[in-house]
Amino acid sequence: MPFTTGWVTNTRDFGTAASNIVVNFKNNDQVNSATIILGIFASVDSSSFVPVYAQSFLLPPNTSQVMTYFISGNVAYEVQFEEIMPLTNNTVLTVYGIDEFGNLVNNQRFTPPELAFIDVLSPLS
């Protein structure tokens, strides 16, 4: 099941802009590794989004992974992810925007209940 943050406005007109986003994964499964697909899309003008980061990786059982991505200069971004194995969806994702000083951007925080289900991931190329 793929999920998205939806489009995130990233301008100082609406608060503090994020220069980086931190994506946290936790595999709660005690036995199975999780295969994750992650896509980050960005827009410099809010009219079109392009993939700026795309990767897949294996997350061992009962482990966490923290990744940071540079998004400064983009007026909007979106994070999408899907756990493709195992089919039980035991992986939890959170996304946080951080400013150029390393402070959290309060209106750019996404926890599991705030993520939206989507039918498929957007094309990553």
Side-chain angles (χ1 to χ4, degrees):
M1 284 184 3
F3 291 91
T4 181
T5 58
W7 292 4
V8 181
T9 300
N10 188 43
T11 66
R12 293 193 190 282
D13 292 343
F14 297 101
T16 303
S19 58
N20 292 287
I21 53 175
V22 177
V23 181
N24 306 292
F25 284 96
K26 182 170 190 235
N27 182 358
N28 288 319
D29 196 306
Q30 300 297 308
V31 177
N32 299 302
S33 292
T35 302
I36 306 295
I37 298 173
L38 174 69
I40 299 174
F41 302 83
S43 177
V44 295
D45 60 8
S46 291
S47 66
S48 63
F49 280 73
V50 297
V52 290
Y53 299 101
Q55 69 184 92
S56 64
F57 61 95
L58 192 67
L59 190 59
N62 198 34
T63 62
S64 299
Q65 179 78 35
V66 177
M67 297 175 263
T68 303
Y69 298 93
F70 180 76
I71 53 130
S72 184
N74 292 290
V75 298
Y77 67 89
E78 176 185 12
V79 177
Q80 296 181 6
F81 91 101
E82 182 173 15
E83 177 183 0
I84 57 173
M85 291 299 293
L87 299 177
T88 54
N89 288 313
N90 285 323
T91 301
V92 177
L93 167 97
T94 58
V95 177
Y96 293 90
I98 55 175
D99 67 16
E100 63 268 24
F101 306 108
N103 300 311
L104 292 175
V105 177
N106 292 329
N107 63 340
Q108 294 186 24
R109 172 194 62 87
F110 300 90
T111 61
E114 298 164 315
L115 299 172
F117 171 75
I118 52 178
D119 290 332
V120 295
L121 294 175
S122 297
L124 297 170
S125 59

